[in-house]
Amino acid sequence: MPLKAYGVLIARAVDTRREGATNTPHYQIHLQDDASTNYRAAVNVLSQERPSELLYLVDEDLRHPVTARLDGLPSGWNTLPPGPGGPNLDFVRGNLFDPAKMRTLPPDASGPDNDLADLLDHYVRRAVDDQQARLYVFGERFGPEPAVRDKVFGFLPGNGVHDIHMNQGNSRQFQGDDGVWQDGGLLLHFPAQERWVGIFLAFQSQSWHTDDVTGHALDDVDGNRPQPGTQPVRIVAALVNPAGPAPESETVTLLNASPAPVDLTGWRIVDRIGQSSAVPSGPLAAGACLLVPLIAGAQLGNHGGEITLKNADGLKVHGVSYTADQAAREGWSVVF
């Protein structure tokens, strides 16, 4: 079953604590919302399963429609309903980043700037020093526990957020936490710089191909789990805001970057809320591009969105996102 209490905490970081690399190590963050309510964010830096080092990716200039969807949410804890359409994170369907660019780091090592705790500290301490900065902590809430002091920072009542990482495609041991549109993550907003920083974490044991309903790991027809970034066909452009009155003739451009033709029969273009349009059947030659008209099904809104390419087995091949600013120029294609 999915997480019981998924949402996002919007608060100011006031302190941090490292736990080393023993027992169940976390990078701990003390936060306060605008009403001075205390919270603790427990960020995993080590997996209980081998390989134990976490995958991480930092986007130091995050430009994604999810930031606009967070506008208007109040300070403090915000429960997010399941499914697409809101500001929920989903590493597979939300096209927040390219999973192939994730790297590993040890949880804690001697010396500066060489472990995951160092990396988190680099960004979170900047937010601690900036009174205007706010953290958007996605995950599962724990507490409040009126009679229990927080075990790390000592405030009362105990209260906070954990599971601040990918929460789908788990191994059998942790399959009970699987779900869609419920991934954890850290977004840091620095208003003075008009800048967002995204920090995303995943376990190496997790799959990047998951069921659209359960979030459980999927295999391809041969029983394999395809790795992200290995598919030859990519989305390279989209005409999101065509010239002229609605209904508009939106298009998506695909590129076969491989040295061999790829049969696109049964492939589909999918939008954020799961509506899809068929890709023309037949082979796409090596190095060739294909303009796919979205005649029915998938729709590309002008206020930002996500575009996903799925193969005939229903597995994600590639995905991109675009912001409202990118879609603002009528008649111009967004290039990815």
Side-chain angles (χ1 to χ4, degrees), residues 155-244:
F155 55 76
L156 188 71
N159 191 28
V161 187
H162 60 173
D163 289 332
I164 308 169
H165 48 67
M166 187 175 180
N167 291 305
Q168 59 182 305
N170 285 299
S171 63
R172 188 176 299 275
Q173 181 181 355
F174 298 102
Q175 199 174 59
D177 292 334
D178 282 347
V180 297
W181 295 107
Q182 60 154 37
D183 285 329
L186 281 175
L187 303 187
L188 295 81
H189 186 213
F190 298 92
Q193 305 170 28
E194 297 183 353
R195 183 181 182 187
W196 289 81
V197 174
I199 302 176
F200 308 106
L201 302 170
F203 300 115
Q204 294 186 63
S205 57
Q206 290 174 313
S207 172
W208 291 90
H209 292 273
T210 60
D211 184 87
D212 287 335
V213 176
T214 65
H216 294 335
L218 289 177
D219 298 334
D220 64 16
V221 292
D222 298 318
N224 301 311
R225 293 187 179 179
Q227 295 301 308
T230 60
Q231 300 295 328
V233 181
R234 303 178 64 86
I235 300 169
V236 294
L239 182 56
V240 175
N241 186 8

Side-chain angles (χ1 to χ4, degrees), residues 6 47 58 78 106 122 135 142 166 171 212 257 265 299 304 315 318:
Y6 177 74
S47 173
V58 176
N78 294 267
H122 173 77
L135 265 63
F142 61 86
M166 187 175 180
S171 63
D212 287 335
T265 302
Q299 297 181 5
L315 299 178
H318 190 231

Side-chain angles (χ1 to χ4, degrees), residues 101-140:
K101 294 181 179 180
M102 299 191 90
R103 298 292 182 264
T104 60
L105 270 177
D108 188 71
S110 60
D113 301 325
N114 61 357
D115 58 49
L116 190 51
D118 287 340
L119 180 139
L120 292 165
D121 215 41
H122 173 77
Y123 294 99
V124 177
R125 293 306 305 183
R126 285 172 52 197
V128 170
D129 295 338
D130 184 341
Q131 294 292 308
Q132 291 184 302
R134 292 295 181 270
L135 265 63
Y136 291 69
V137 187
F138 292 81
E140 183 175 44

